[in-house]
Amino acid sequence: MTIKDTPEEWRVTATEVPFRGNKTSVRTDDVVMPDGSVVRRDYQVHPGSVAVLALDDEDRVLVLRQYRHPVRHKLWEIPAGLLDVPGENPLNAAVRELYEEAHVKADRWNVLTDVYTTPGGCDEAVRIFLARGLSAAEGDRFEVAEEEADMELARVPLDELARGVLAGDLHNTCLVVGVLSLLAARAGDGLDALRPADAPWPARPFS
């Protein structure tokens, strides 16, 4: 048996959108089960996201600390943001987020991993990039607002972040998955075996 996720779509007999927000919405589908019964499934419809694990030459990861109101926590995270434009190239979005949130650029990019954050209740797909060859970005810093105005930046050793993840001190999905994926890649076939930055992404196709 091949251990690989595969696309599949069960028949939907009715659908409605009871809530539409600024960036996301809630959809309700009546889905036919294998035994013929029909059940109602509510889930958040999300445009998708990108995240960047930016690793410097001293093996430190660029992280930021930001307030997240739904969980009532300030979380340490890696730079990330929405795919605001349908069909947007995710690498372009990742470069933009690294610039806007950290005023940093990178000259080496790879796909680290792709994840569905909460597939039982949301269709959000995230592509996490590994960015290396870091340097300061040119020009003025991006003007932040709202939660981002209170954001803190730091560079933390990769091993320290891994210990924090396993100790239960760090909880952000993209940070956790990114850090552990990087360690797994190093222990496996090496970083040179990672997918190129423009690798296909069926969850969020782009041109």
Side-chain angles (χ1 to χ4, degrees), residues 5 49-51 83 90-91 110-117 124-130 173-174 177-178 181 194-204 206:
D5 295 336
S49 306
V50 293
L83 289 167
L91 177 59
N110 289 92
V111 174
L112 187 54
T113 191
D114 299 324
V115 294
Y116 290 115
T117 55
E124 181 184 14
V126 181
R127 168 156 282 188
I128 304 175
F129 290 90
L130 173 64
T173 301
C174 293
V177 173
S181 293
L194 290 171
R195 287 172 290 163
D198 60 353
W201 189 18
R204 293 293 185 273
F206 60 93

mmCIF file of all heavy atoms in Angstrom, residues 5 49-51 83 90-91 110-117 124-130 173-174 177-178 181 194-204 206:
data_model
loop_
_atom_site.group_PDB
_atom_site.id
_atom_site.type_symbol
_atom_site.label_atom_id
_atom_site.label_comp_id
_atom_site.label_asym_id
_atom_site.label_seq_id
_atom_site.Cartn_x
_atom_site.Cartn_y
_atom_site.Cartn_z
ATOM 1 N N ASP A 5 -1.624 10.769 0.562
ATOM 2 C CA ASP A 5 -2.961 11.359 0.522
ATOM 3 C C ASP A 5 -3.431 11.439 -0.928
ATOM 4 O O ASP A 5 -2.647 11.733 -1.837
ATOM 5 C CB ASP A 5 -2.944 12.764 1.124
ATOM 6 C CG ASP A 5 -2.592 12.762 2.608
ATOM 7 O OD1 ASP A 5 -2.799 11.718 3.262
ATOM 8 O OD2 ASP A 5 -2.115 13.794 3.106
ATOM 9 N N SER A 49 -2.608 29.866 2.673
ATOM 10 C CA SER A 49 -1.560 30.678 3.283
ATOM 11 C C SER A 49 -0.189 30.178 2.869
ATOM 12 O O SER A 49 -0.038 29.059 2.376
ATOM 13 C CB SER A 49 -1.649 30.625 4.822
ATOM 14 O OG SER A 49 -2.933 30.973 5.285
ATOM 15 N N VAL A 50 0.792 31.030 3.127
ATOM 16 C CA VAL A 50 2.195 30.634 3.002
ATOM 17 C C VAL A 50 2.890 30.983 4.307
ATOM 18 O O VAL A 50 2.454 31.877 5.044
ATOM 19 C CB VAL A 50 2.904 31.333 1.827
ATOM 20 C CG1 VAL A 50 2.337 30.850 0.495
ATOM 21 C CG2 VAL A 50 2.800 32.852 1.935
ATOM 22 N N ALA A 51 3.965 30.267 4.600
ATOM 23 C CA ALA A 51 4.784 30.559 5.772
ATOM 24 C C ALA A 51 6.243 30.368 5.386
ATOM 25 O O ALA A 51 6.554 29.641 4.438
ATOM 26 C CB ALA A 51 4.409 29.655 6.941
ATOM 27 N N LEU A 83 -2.907 33.981 1.092
ATOM 28 C CA LEU A 83 -2.848 34.084 -0.365
ATOM 29 C C LEU A 83 -4.035 34.945 -0.781
ATOM 30 O O LEU A 83 -5.120 34.442 -1.057
ATOM 31 C CB LEU A 83 -2.910 32.696 -1.008
ATOM 32 C CG LEU A 83 -1.656 31.843 -0.833
ATOM 33 C CD1 LEU A 83 -1.938 30.395 -1.225
ATOM 34 C CD2 LEU A 83 -0.512 32.395 -1.673
ATOM 35 N N PRO A 90 2.659 31.102 -4.874
ATOM 36 C CA PRO A 90 2.927 31.115 -3.430
ATOM 37 C C PRO A 90 4.324 31.618 -3.082
ATOM 38 O O PRO A 90 4.521 32.202 -2.016
ATOM 39 C CB PRO A 90 2.726 29.654 -3.014
ATOM 40 C CG PRO A 90 2.818 28.870 -4.276
ATOM 41 C CD PRO A 90 2.324 29.762 -5.364
ATOM 42 N N LEU A 91 5.304 31.409 -3.954
ATOM 43 C CA LEU A 91 6.640 31.931 -3.673
ATOM 44 C C LEU A 91 6.627 33.453 -3.625
ATOM 45 O O LEU A 91 7.243 34.062 -2.748
ATOM 46 C CB LEU A 91 7.636 31.441 -4.719
ATOM 47 C CG LEU A 91 9.061 31.983 -4.568
ATOM 48 C CD1 LEU A 91 9.656 31.624 -3.214
ATOM 49 C CD2 LEU A 91 9.949 31.482 -5.701
ATOM 50 N N ASN A 110 13.303 26.908 -0.956
ATOM 51 C CA ASN A 110 12.802 25.562 -1.244
ATOM 52 C C ASN A 110 11.449 25.393 -0.578
ATOM 53 O O ASN A 110 11.126 26.089 0.387
ATOM 54 C CB ASN A 110 13.736 24.480 -0.691
ATOM 55 C CG ASN A 110 15.034 24.363 -1.432
ATOM 56 O OD1 ASN A 110 16.021 25.007 -1.064
ATOM 57 N ND2 ASN A 110 15.059 23.560 -2.475
ATOM 58 N N VAL A 111 10.664 24.452 -1.085
ATOM 59 C CA VAL A 111 9.456 24.039 -0.375
ATOM 60 C C VAL A 111 9.881 23.102 0.743
ATOM 61 O O VAL A 111 10.569 22.098 0.503
ATOM 62 C CB VAL A 111 8.469 23.327 -1.313
ATOM 63 C CG1 VAL A 111 7.292 22.774 -0.511
ATOM 64 C CG2 VAL A 111 7.974 24.282 -2.386
ATOM 65 N N LEU A 112 9.488 23.421 1.967
ATOM 66 C CA LEU A 112 9.787 22.565 3.108
ATOM 67 C C LEU A 112 8.693 21.523 3.299
ATOM 68 O O LEU A 112 8.962 20.327 3.377
ATOM 69 C CB LEU A 112 9.966 23.422 4.363
ATOM 70 C CG LEU A 112 10.452 22.735 5.630
ATOM 71 C CD1 LEU A 112 11.756 21.969 5.388
ATOM 72 C CD2 LEU A 112 10.642 23.762 6.745
ATOM 73 N N THR A 113 7.450 21.968 3.333
ATOM 74 C CA THR A 113 6.337 21.029 3.462
ATOM 75 C C THR A 113 5.019 21.727 3.142
ATOM 76 O O THR A 113 4.933 22.959 3.155
ATOM 77 C CB THR A 113 6.294 20.425 4.887
ATOM 78 O OG1 THR A 113 5.374 19.341 4.936
ATOM 79 C CG2 THR A 113 5.892 21.466 5.905
ATOM 80 N N ASP A 114 4.001 20.945 2.859
ATOM 81 C CA ASP A 114 2.638 21.438 2.620
ATOM 82 C C ASP A 114 1.709 20.780 3.625
ATOM 83 O O ASP A 114 1.797 19.559 3.853
ATOM 84 C CB ASP A 114 2.158 21.084 1.201
ATOM 85 C CG ASP A 114 3.017 21.710 0.118
ATOM 86 O OD1 ASP A 114 3.483 22.841 0.293
ATOM 87 O OD2 ASP A 114 3.213 21.048 -0.929
ATOM 88 N N VAL A 115 0.821 21.560 4.226
ATOM 89 C CA VAL A 115 -0.080 21.002 5.233
ATOM 90 C C VAL A 115 -1.493 21.565 5.076
ATOM 91 O O VAL A 115 -1.678 22.672 4.575
ATOM 92 C CB VAL A 115 0.413 21.283 6.671
ATOM 93 C CG1 VAL A 115 1.708 20.555 6.948
ATOM 94 C CG2 VAL A 115 0.576 22.767 6.934
ATOM 95 N N TYR A 116 -2.474 20.767 5.510
ATOM 96 C CA TYR A 116 -3.816 21.271 5.813
ATOM 97 C C TYR A 116 -3.836 21.497 7.320
ATOM 98 O O TYR A 116 -3.585 20.573 8.099
ATOM 99 C CB TYR A 116 -4.888 20.255 5.427
ATOM 100 C CG TYR A 116 -5.062 20.055 3.943
ATOM 101 C CD1 TYR A 116 -4.762 18.833 3.342
ATOM 102 C CD2 TYR A 116 -5.535 21.079 3.134
ATOM 103 C CE1 TYR A 116 -4.937 18.649 1.975
ATOM 104 C CE2 TYR A 116 -5.709 20.910 1.767
ATOM 105 C CZ TYR A 116 -5.407 19.684 1.194
ATOM 106 O OH TYR A 116 -5.576 19.506 -0.153
ATOM 107 N N THR A 117 -4.131 22.716 7.748
ATOM 108 C CA THR A 117 -3.989 23.033 9.174
ATOM 109 C C THR A 117 -5.024 22.326 10.047
ATOM 110 O O THR A 117 -4.686 21.786 11.105
ATOM 111 C CB THR A 117 -4.083 24.550 9.400
ATOM 112 O OG1 THR A 117 -5.307 25.034 8.833
ATOM 113 C CG2 THR A 117 -2.907 25.254 8.757
ATOM 114 N N GLU A 124 -8.191 25.294 4.891
ATOM 115 C CA GLU A 124 -6.942 26.028 4.731
ATOM 116 C C GLU A 124 -5.789 25.096 4.380
ATOM 117 O O GLU A 124 -5.558 24.075 5.034
ATOM 118 C CB GLU A 124 -6.575 26.785 6.008
ATOM 119 C CG GLU A 124 -5.282 27.581 5.859
ATOM 120 C CD GLU A 124 -4.837 28.279 7.130
ATOM 121 O OE1 GLU A 124 -5.368 27.950 8.203
ATOM 122 O OE2 GLU A 124 -3.962 29.152 7.039
ATOM 123 N N ALA A 125 -5.058 25.448 3.321
ATOM 124 C CA ALA A 125 -3.826 24.773 2.943
ATOM 125 C C ALA A 125 -2.687 25.764 3.109
ATOM 126 O O ALA A 125 -2.815 26.930 2.744
ATOM 127 C CB ALA A 125 -3.900 24.292 1.495
ATOM 128 N N VAL A 126 -1.562 25.295 3.673
ATOM 129 C CA VAL A 126 -0.400 26.151 3.887
ATOM 130 C C VAL A 126 0.819 25.522 3.237
ATOM 131 O O VAL A 126 1.076 24.324 3.417
ATOM 132 C CB VAL A 126 -0.116 26.373 5.388
ATOM 133 C CG1 VAL A 126 1.090 27.281 5.566
ATOM 134 C CG2 VAL A 126 -1.325 26.972 6.088
ATOM 135 N N ARG A 127 1.545 26.306 2.486
ATOM 136 C CA ARG A 127 2.858 25.891 1.967
ATOM 137 C C ARG A 127 3.919 26.576 2.815
ATOM 138 O O ARG A 127 3.945 27.809 2.933
ATOM 139 C CB ARG A 127 3.013 26.241 0.500
ATOM 140 C CG ARG A 127 4.437 26.093 -0.025
ATOM 141 C CD ARG A 127 4.501 25.862 -1.529
ATOM 142 N NE ARG A 127 4.169 24.471 -1.845
ATOM 143 C CZ ARG A 127 4.297 23.934 -3.061
ATOM 144 N NH1 ARG A 127 4.711 24.686 -4.082
ATOM 145 N NH2 ARG A 127 4.000 22.669 -3.274
ATOM 146 N N ILE A 128 4.792 25.769 3.424
ATOM 147 C CA ILE A 128 5.872 26.289 4.251
ATOM 148 C C ILE A 128 7.169 26.206 3.450
ATOM 149 O O ILE A 128 7.566 25.132 2.992
ATOM 150 C CB ILE A 128 6.002 25.504 5.568
ATOM 151 C CG1 ILE A 128 4.665 25.518 6.335
ATOM 152 C CG2 ILE A 128 7.115 26.092 6.436
ATOM 153 C CD1 ILE A 128 4.668 24.674 7.592
ATOM 154 N N PHE A 129 7.804 27.359 3.294
ATOM 155 C CA PHE A 129 9.057 27.447 2.560
ATOM 156 C C PHE A 129 10.237 27.477 3.525
ATOM 157 O O PHE A 129 10.122 27.983 4.648
ATOM 158 C CB PHE A 129 9.099 28.730 1.720
ATOM 159 C CG PHE A 129 8.173 28.746 0.544
ATOM 160 C CD1 PHE A 129 6.877 29.237 0.666
ATOM 161 C CD2 PHE A 129 8.592 28.285 -0.700
ATOM 162 C CE1 PHE A 129 6.023 29.267 -0.414
ATOM 163 C CE2 PHE A 129 7.738 28.320 -1.792
ATOM 164 C CZ PHE A 129 6.450 28.809 -1.658
ATOM 165 N N LEU A 130 11.375 26.971 3.053
ATOM 166 C CA LEU A 130 12.651 27.182 3.721
ATOM 167 C C LEU A 130 13.389 28.269 2.953
ATOM 168 O O LEU A 130 13.590 28.155 1.740
ATOM 169 C CB LEU A 130 13.476 25.897 3.727
ATOM 170 C CG LEU A 130 14.908 26.031 4.249
ATOM 171 C CD1 LEU A 130 14.912 26.438 5.726
ATOM 172 C CD2 LEU A 130 15.679 24.732 4.045
ATOM 173 N N THR A 173 1.104 26.285 14.482
ATOM 174 C CA THR A 173 1.178 25.160 13.552
ATOM 175 C C THR A 173 2.368 25.269 12.611
ATOM 176 O O THR A 173 3.137 24.307 12.436
ATOM 177 C CB THR A 173 -0.112 25.072 12.724
ATOM 178 O OG1 THR A 173 -1.224 24.899 13.592
ATOM 179 C CG2 THR A 173 -0.054 23.905 11.755
ATOM 180 N N CYS A 174 2.533 26.419 11.971
ATOM 181 C CA CYS A 174 3.582 26.546 10.966
ATOM 182 C C CYS A 174 4.969 26.482 11.588
ATOM 183 O O CYS A 174 5.890 25.902 10.997
ATOM 184 C CB CYS A 174 3.405 27.851 10.184
ATOM 185 S SG CYS A 174 1.908 27.867 9.172
ATOM 186 N N VAL A 177 5.460 22.615 12.624
ATOM 187 C CA VAL A 177 5.667 21.764 11.448
ATOM 188 C C VAL A 177 6.962 22.134 10.738
ATOM 189 O O VAL A 177 7.726 21.260 10.303
ATOM 190 C CB VAL A 177 4.466 21.882 10.490
ATOM 191 C CG1 VAL A 177 4.748 21.149 9.181
ATOM 192 C CG2 VAL A 177 3.209 21.323 11.144
ATOM 193 N N GLY A 178 7.235 23.436 10.623
ATOM 194 C CA GLY A 178 8.437 23.866 9.929
ATOM 195 C C GLY A 178 9.704 23.418 10.628
ATOM 196 O O GLY A 178 10.624 22.877 9.988
ATOM 197 N N SER A 181 10.024 19.582 10.466
ATOM 198 C CA SER A 181 10.288 19.160 9.090
ATOM 199 C C SER A 181 11.732 19.438 8.698
ATOM 200 O O SER A 181 12.372 18.622 8.007
ATOM 201 C CB SER A 181 9.345 19.879 8.122
ATOM 202 O OG SER A 181 8.003 19.476 8.321
ATOM 203 N N LEU A 194 15.203 18.753 -0.912
ATOM 204 C CA LEU A 194 13.893 19.390 -0.789
ATOM 205 C C LEU A 194 13.368 19.800 -2.164
ATOM 206 O O LEU A 194 14.144 20.065 -3.085
ATOM 207 C CB LEU A 194 13.978 20.620 0.115
ATOM 208 C CG LEU A 194 14.216 20.358 1.606
ATOM 209 C CD1 LEU A 194 14.493 21.672 2.332
ATOM 210 C CD2 LEU A 194 13.023 19.642 2.221
ATOM 211 N N ARG A 195 12.058 19.907 -2.272
ATOM 212 C CA ARG A 195 11.445 20.312 -3.535
ATOM 213 C C ARG A 195 11.830 21.746 -3.895
ATOM 214 O O ARG A 195 12.046 22.577 -3.003
ATOM 215 C CB ARG A 195 9.921 20.207 -3.439
ATOM 216 C CG ARG A 195 9.395 18.781 -3.454
ATOM 217 C CD ARG A 195 7.895 18.757 -3.167
ATOM 218 N NE ARG A 195 7.611 19.112 -1.779
ATOM 219 C CZ ARG A 195 6.410 19.476 -1.341
ATOM 220 N NH1 ARG A 195 5.399 19.579 -2.173
ATOM 221 N NH2 ARG A 195 6.229 19.756 -0.066
ATOM 222 N N PRO A 196 11.888 22.039 -5.189
ATOM 223 C CA PRO A 196 12.166 23.418 -5.594
ATOM 224 C C PRO A 196 11.034 24.344 -5.184
ATOM 225 O O PRO A 196 9.901 23.908 -4.940
ATOM 226 C CB PRO A 196 12.296 23.330 -7.112
ATOM 227 C CG PRO A 196 11.533 22.099 -7.491
ATOM 228 C CD PRO A 196 11.708 21.145 -6.349
ATOM 229 N N ALA A 197 11.340 25.631 -5.117
ATOM 230 C CA ALA A 197 10.373 26.616 -4.642
ATOM 231 C C ALA A 197 9.143 26.714 -5.528
ATOM 232 O O ALA A 197 8.088 27.165 -5.072
ATOM 233 C CB ALA A 197 11.041 27.979 -4.516
ATOM 234 N N ASP A 198 9.261 26.312 -6.794
ATOM 235 C CA ASP A 198 8.118 26.393 -7.707
ATOM 236 C C ASP A 198 7.448 25.037 -7.919
ATOM 237 O O ASP A 198 6.750 24.832 -8.914
ATOM 238 C CB ASP A 198 8.556 26.981 -9.054
ATOM 239 C CG ASP A 198 9.624 26.132 -9.743
ATOM 240 O OD1 ASP A 198 10.136 25.159 -9.128
ATOM 241 O OD2 ASP A 198 9.969 26.439 -10.906
ATOM 242 N N ALA A 199 7.634 24.100 -6.981
ATOM 243 C CA ALA A 199 7.014 22.779 -7.104
ATOM 244 C C ALA A 199 5.497 22.898 -7.171
ATOM 245 O O ALA A 199 4.909 23.766 -6.519
ATOM 246 C CB ALA A 199 7.412 21.906 -5.924
ATOM 247 N N PRO A 200 4.829 22.032 -7.939
ATOM 248 C CA PRO A 200 3.356 22.085 -8.008
ATOM 249 C C PRO A 200 2.720 21.949 -6.628
ATOM 250 O O PRO A 200 3.256 21.269 -5.749
ATOM 251 C CB PRO A 200 3.005 20.887 -8.897
ATOM 252 C CG PRO A 200 4.250 20.620 -9.673
ATOM 253 C CD PRO A 200 5.397 20.971 -8.773
ATOM 254 N N TRP A 201 1.561 22.570 -6.488
ATOM 255 C CA TRP A 201 0.820 22.529 -5.219
ATOM 256 C C TRP A 201 -0.653 22.309 -5.561
ATOM 257 O O TRP A 201 -1.412 23.260 -5.712
ATOM 258 C CB TRP A 201 1.035 23.831 -4.471
ATOM 259 C CG TRP A 201 0.508 23.866 -3.067
ATOM 260 C CD1 TRP A 201 0.181 22.804 -2.276
ATOM 261 C CD2 TRP A 201 0.253 25.036 -2.278
ATOM 262 N NE1 TRP A 201 -0.250 23.231 -1.052
ATOM 263 C CE2 TRP A 201 -0.212 24.590 -1.028
ATOM 264 C CE3 TRP A 201 0.376 26.412 -2.518
ATOM 265 C CZ2 TRP A 201 -0.574 25.493 -0.009
ATOM 266 C CZ3 TRP A 201 0.028 27.293 -1.508
ATOM 267 C CH2 TRP A 201 -0.431 26.823 -0.267
ATOM 268 N N PRO A 202 -1.061 21.061 -5.668
ATOM 269 C CA PRO A 202 -2.450 20.773 -6.079
ATOM 270 C C PRO A 202 -3.510 21.409 -5.190
ATOM 271 O O PRO A 202 -4.606 21.736 -5.653
ATOM 272 C CB PRO A 202 -2.523 19.239 -6.033
ATOM 273 C CG PRO A 202 -1.100 18.797 -6.221
ATOM 274 C CD PRO A 202 -0.261 19.833 -5.524
ATOM 275 N N ALA A 203 -3.205 21.590 -3.904
ATOM 276 C CA ALA A 203 -4.197 22.174 -2.998
ATOM 277 C C ALA A 203 -4.532 23.608 -3.355
ATOM 278 O O ALA A 203 -5.655 24.068 -3.122
ATOM 279 C CB ALA A 203 -3.700 22.094 -1.551
ATOM 280 N N ARG A 204 -3.569 24.338 -3.901
ATOM 281 C CA ARG A 204 -3.769 25.722 -4.326
ATOM 282 C C ARG A 204 -3.010 25.935 -5.635
ATOM 283 O O ARG A 204 -1.903 26.471 -5.644
ATOM 284 C CB ARG A 204 -3.283 26.721 -3.258
ATOM 285 C CG ARG A 204 -4.100 26.722 -1.960
ATOM 286 C CD ARG A 204 -5.515 27.231 -2.191
ATOM 287 N NE ARG A 204 -6.276 27.362 -0.962
ATOM 288 C CZ ARG A 204 -6.985 26.381 -0.408
ATOM 289 N NH1 ARG A 204 -6.994 25.180 -0.947
ATOM 290 N NH2 ARG A 204 -7.668 26.596 0.707
ATOM 291 N N PHE A 206 -1.409 27.226 -9.029
ATOM 292 C CA PHE A 206 -0.970 28.574 -9.400
ATOM 293 C C PHE A 206 -0.312 28.509 -10.761
ATOM 294 O O PHE A 206 0.098 27.444 -11.231
ATOM 295 C CB PHE A 206 0.017 29.114 -8.350
ATOM 296 C CG PHE A 206 1.263 28.295 -8.191
ATOM 297 C CD1 PHE A 206 2.424 28.604 -8.910
ATOM 298 C CD2 PHE A 206 1.300 27.199 -7.321
ATOM 299 C CE1 PHE A 206 3.569 27.838 -8.761
ATOM 300 C CE2 PHE A 206 2.450 26.441 -7.170
ATOM 301 C CZ PHE A 206 3.573 26.766 -7.902
#
